[in-house]
Amino acid sequence: MSSDLQATVEAMVRPGRGLLAADESTPTIAKRFKAVGVESTEASRRAYRSLLVATPGLGEHISGVILFEETLGQKADDGTPLAQVAASQGIVPGIKVDAGKIALAHAPGDEITQGLDGLAKRFEVYKAQGARFAKWRAVYNVSATLPSWLAMQANAESLARYAAICQEQGIVPIVEPEVLMDGDNDIARCAQVTESVLGEVFHALRRHGVVLEHMILKPNMVVPGKGCAKQAAPGEVAQATLAVLRRCVPAAVPGIFFLSGGQSPQEATANLDAINRAGAQPWVLSFSYGRALQETVLQAWQGKAANIGAAQAALAKRARLNGAACLGRYDAAMEAGA
Ligand code: 5MM
């Protein structure tokens, strides 16, 4: 079991490669499709996610894809399961297993992620369908008073219970505590909250005996809220993010794969690049982007079969640029190329 976990981690944590987060729940993908005038149906979701995993050469810069439960059961036009299409490109298929978030009782403004009931049993099916890793996302709203300690502790406990269940089932857990960037807070407040959140998460992981060598952390970068008048340049984001990570994340964790959290595709790439230019760190620092990888793909696709080639080219380009950022070799001039 532990050699399976090690093999999966090694297949996912590779230099110059990151993860494609394509695990939007049904309401979220409907919102993304609506923005480009596409109706969300089982058929349109299958067509879109088929084009993603079949993008030629995607495995050169993407080592894993996070799928939604529905996608794991879907097939390409030729009948090949989409998880297998990904695997044939050297991309490890994984599955989002949380069941979304609800209001946390007795903590106004805070949320808690649910989905632990029956999780171990659900993995029997997911493994048979090809999943080798899983993802669970906890979300923290930020204000002068949020998140509460109760929310940080409750979400840390759920993340740790989830991660322990995954490892017991031979599945590598991606632990995703996301401090949201939707507020008007400054970068210092994001740093303070992220440090507290990660402190609670690693405390809980230890309580639950989670093997740090066999997990991946998917955190937010430390950035100002979108509504903050003072935005931060990549150098400042890199410095603030690394300072928090060095305080909170043990060196035993093999990889830290950032979420993009609402950054534009170019910002997310430039910030990752700055992080990787800041010198050697104990972990591989990479990406696990949803929106920052898919925004240009959706715009190119627009639900039309005739646009599949252009959409795949858009994905291949963002994957390549983020792959360069993983090595600290991105340059904004590369945005101009095909
Ligand atoms: C791709 O979006 C994922 C699923 O979101 P919902 O469950 O809300 O539909 C999401 O968890 C995603 O993996 C992370 O937020 C990272 O994506 P971004 O877009 O922030 O890089």
Side-chain angles (χ1 to χ4, degrees):
M1 192 70 88
S2 125
S3 64
D4 287 353
L5 292 169
Q6 183 62 29
T8 301
V9 163
E10 284 172 14
M12 294 172 73
V13 182
R14 294 165 67 194
R17 288 174 170 81
L19 308 179
L20 166 62
D23 58 314
E24 298 86 354
S25 57
T26 309
T28 303
I29 195 71
K31 198 161 77 180
R32 305 271 184 268
F33 277 9
K34 195 171 172 199
V36 293
V38 176
E39 191 191 349
S40 177
T41 62
E42 195 272 337
S44 63
R45 293 190 293 271
R46 186 182 73 84
Y48 177 62
R49 283 152 171 170
S50 296
L51 86 80
L52 294 181
V53 295
T55 294
L58 194 63
E60 287 168 33
H61 305 290
I62 298 289
S63 57
V65 59
I66 313 171
L67 302 171
F68 187 56
E69 190 173 9
E70 175 189 71
T71 317
L72 202 52
Q74 285 176 326
K75 293 178 176 161
D77 288 345
D78 68 359
T80 311
L82 294 186
Q84 209 174 303
V85 175
S88 68
Q89 298 225 61
I91 299 170
V92 182
I95 167 96
K96 184 249 290 295
V97 297
D98 67 66
K101 52 199 172 53
I102 53 168
L104 178 63
H106 291 174
D110 282 318
E111 296 174 293
I112 180 83
T113 303
Q114 51 187 359
L116 287 170
D117 286 356
L119 182 56
K121 189 90 188 138
R122 281 160 61 202
F123 276 127
E124 287 171 20
V125 179
Y126 299 152
K127 283 191 283 187
Q129 290 174 314
R132 291 173 62 193
F133 71 90
K135 193 203 84 172
W136 177 290
R137 172 173 170 247
V139 174
Y140 308 85
N141 296 302
V142 181
S143 72
T145 53
L146 294 175
S148 64
W149 280 107
L150 175 65
M152 290 191 268
Q153 287 167 348
N155 275 298
E157 187 70 10
S158 297
L159 277 166
R161 286 185 61 199
Y162 140 81
I165 293 168
C166 285
Q167 290 187 339
E168 210 167 67
Q169 295 297 318
I171 291 280
V172 168
I174 295 183
V175 172
E176 181 181 5
E178 177 174 6
V179 175
L180 292 177
M181 56 178 283
D182 300 338
D184 56 9
N185 58 281
D186 62 13
I187 192 169
R189 176 71 181 142
C190 180
Q192 188 182 45
V193 172
T194 304
E195 187 172 336
S196 299
V197 162
L198 291 177
E200 290 301 323
V201 166
F202 279 94
H203 187 207
L205 291 170
R206 186 174 177 84
R207 269 201 312 277
H208 285 266
V210 172
V211 179
L212 299 183
E213 289 82 352
H214 292 159
M215 62 161 274
I216 288 171
L217 180 69
K218 174 168 173 168
N220 53 284
M221 292 179 192
V222 174
V223 291
K226 274 188 191 161
C228 178
K230 190 176 175 303
Q231 288 301 307
E236 191 184 351
V237 170
Q239 206 179 26
T241 302
L242 288 167
V244 168
L245 294 176
R246 279 196 293 260
R247 285 179 190 163
C248 302
V249 185
V253 173
I256 299 178
F257 286 54
F258 296 100
L259 57 90
S260 58
Q263 297 176 49
S264 73
Q266 290 195 30
E267 273 170 349
T269 309
N271 287 338
L272 178 62
D273 183 67
I275 286 169
N276 277 299
R277 282 176 191 262
Q281 308 296 337
W283 338 266
V284 168
L285 293 156
S286 180
F287 60 94
S288 175
Y289 294 160
R291 284 163 287 179
L293 277 174
Q294 294 186 60
E295 193 178 298
T296 54
V297 185
L298 283 162
Q299 281 159 3
W301 178 54
Q302 301 202 333
K304 298 189 175 82
N307 294 339
I308 286 176
Q312 291 181 326
L315 178 59
K317 175 177 173 178
R318 287 257 59 90
R320 181 170 54 80
L321 297 188
N322 283 299
C326 287
L327 305 171
R329 292 185 196 152
Y330 165 77
D331 187 310
M334 292 158 81
E335 295 286 350

